[in-house]
């Protein structure tokens, strides 16, 4: 089963609002990834984090690698309609040989 | 650069039938992954190949699922016989190496009736 706890499960927001979601784990990860999946498509990588405390931005997206290495969060600022989709966190451990563990996803709905 | 290709995009079968999915990874990517994504959940790794060898198949239901990557390039995933609970999206991903960024294909949506 899933080892990553992702919240919230869904968010309904108005265009222009900021969005925050987070992911926690009982395990330590050395890499945190955030993906977005749109209907009928596979996940697309948004941001990759490789070091505890790292804060990385990609346009209106900002993600942080928690200092304990057991959590991460993703912020979307000034949401727009095309931000609609399911956002997944995923983590890699040192000995996982590329075996990503995914959270259950946060569904974001943006209304005009 | 072409992305990960998968076919078919959709498949509807009856339980106990067989089905096969095909994946062509990004050129030069040595590592190939098959994931199962059940509705409302994140992807779950089924099998990971490094070139034509299996690295991890611990979560592959081997009594009914099989996968191969004979020439170290494209891969097929087969289910025989299918069960109702196999209804899911089957995602293929590839990466340059096992710790490198994974790029996903569009997936095959399977419905078992």
């Amino acid at each position: 089963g899933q080892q990553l706890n992702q919240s919230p499960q869904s968010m309904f927001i108005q265009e222009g609002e900021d969005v925050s979601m987070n992911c926690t784990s009982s395990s330590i990860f050395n890499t945190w990834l955030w993906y977005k999946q749109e209907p009928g498509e596979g996940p697309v990588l948004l941001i990759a984090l490789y070091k505890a405390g790292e804060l990385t931005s990609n346009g209106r997206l900002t993600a942080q690698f928690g200092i304990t290495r057991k959590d991460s969060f993703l912020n979307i600022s000034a949401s727009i309609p095309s931000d609609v989709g399911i956002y997944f966190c995923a983590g890699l451990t040192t000995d996982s040989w590329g075996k990503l563990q995914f959270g259950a996803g946060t569904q974001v709905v943006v209304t005009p | 650069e072409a992305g990960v290709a998968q076919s078919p995009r959709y498949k509807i079968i009856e339980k106990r039938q067989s089905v096969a999915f095909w994946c062509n990874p990004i050129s030069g990517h040595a590592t190939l992954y098959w994931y199962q994504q059940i509705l409302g959940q994140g992807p779950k790794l089924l099998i990971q190949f490094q070139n034509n060898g299996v690295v991890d198949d611990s979560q592959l239901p081997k009594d009914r699922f099989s996968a191969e990557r004979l020439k170290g390039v494209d891969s097929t995933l087969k289910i025989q016989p299918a069960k109702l609970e196999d209804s899911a999206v089957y995602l293929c991903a590839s990466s340059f190496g096992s710790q490198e960024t994974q790029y996903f294909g569009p997936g095959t949506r399977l419905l078992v009736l």
Side-chain angles (χ1 to χ4, degrees), chain B residues 36-57:
Chain B
Q36 180 192 58
Q37 186 177 22
I38 292 172
L39 187 64
Q41 298 182 18
K44 182 187 82 172
L45 181 70
L46 292 176
I47 188 167
Q48 177 183 344
F49 291 94
Q50 182 71 21
N51 297 308
N52 61 350
V54 175
V55 174
D56 185 342
D57 64 357

Side-chain angles (χ1 to χ4, degrees), chain B residues 6-43:
Chain B
Q6 288 189 249
S7 67
R9 294 294 307 270
Y10 305 92
K11 191 74 178 178
I12 301 174
I13 61 173
E14 294 188 347
K15 61 183 179 183
R16 291 188 288 274
Q17 285 187 323
S18 304
V19 65
F21 313 127
W22 175 82
C23 172
N24 191 30
I26 292 172
S27 178
H29 280 193
T31 313
L32 185 148
Y33 313 79
W34 282 102
Y35 289 85
Q36 180 192 58
Q37 186 177 22
I38 292 172
L39 187 64
Q41 298 182 18

Side-chain angles (χ1 to χ4, degrees), chain A residues 2-110:
Chain A
Q2 306 282 2
Q3 294 187 12
L4 299 184
N5 298 307
Q6 187 171 349
S7 64
Q9 187 175 5
S10 60
M11 302 185 73
F12 293 81
I13 59 173
Q14 284 197 318
E15 187 175 355
E17 288 184 339
D18 296 345
V19 176
S20 286
M21 61 194 79
N22 67 74
C23 215
T24 60
S25 172
S26 57
S27 303
I28 289 175
F29 290 96
N30 68 327
T31 300
W32 282 97
L33 306 168
W34 285 93
Y35 285 86
K36 179 186 179 185
Q37 187 173 28
E38 297 185 15
E41 300 297 329
V44 174
L45 183 65
L46 299 173
I47 292 180
L49 303 159
Y50 301 105
K51 192 162 49 173
E54 180 181 355
L55 185 72
T56 297
S57 293
N58 178 7
R60 293 177 296 104
L61 307 177
T62 302
Q64 185 159 29
F65 192 141
I67 290 178
T68 65
R69 297 170 63 193
K70 293 183 178 181
D71 62 334
S72 177
F73 73 76
L74 175 70
N75 284 346
I76 307 172
S77 63
S79 59
I80 58 178
S82 63
D83 290 334
V84 166
I86 303 177
Y87 293 78
F88 290 98
C89 62
L92 269 175
T93 56
T94 308
D95 58 352
S96 64
W97 291 98
K99 182 177 178 178
L100 282 177
Q101 295 181 45
F102 281 84
T106 294
Q107 182 166 24
V108 173
V109 177
V110 181

Side-chain angles (χ1 to χ4, degrees), chain B residues 29-109:
Chain B
H29 280 193
T31 313
L32 185 148
Y33 313 79
W34 282 102
Y35 289 85
Q36 180 192 58
Q37 186 177 22
I38 292 172
L39 187 64
Q41 298 182 18
K44 182 187 82 172
L45 181 70
L46 292 176
I47 188 167
Q48 177 183 344
F49 291 94
Q50 182 71 21
N51 297 308
N52 61 350
V54 175
V55 174
D56 185 342
D57 64 357
S58 58
Q59 298 192 89
L60 187 74
K62 298 180 188 64
D63 58 334
R64 297 183 301 106
F65 286 63
S66 63
E68 60 183 17
R69 193 185 185 201
L70 293 177
K71 296 182 180 179
V73 180
D74 56 353
S75 175
T76 55
L77 176 69
K78 297 179 181 177
I79 308 175
Q80 181 179 14
K83 292 185 176 181
L84 298 177
E85 58 261 36
D86 298 333
S87 294
V89 176
Y90 291 85
L91 294 163
C92 179
S94 72
S95 62
F96 188 74
S98 62
Q99 293 288 329
E100 304 292 327
T101 300
Q102 295 183 29
Y103 295 89
F104 285 81
T108 296
R109 277 141 192 84

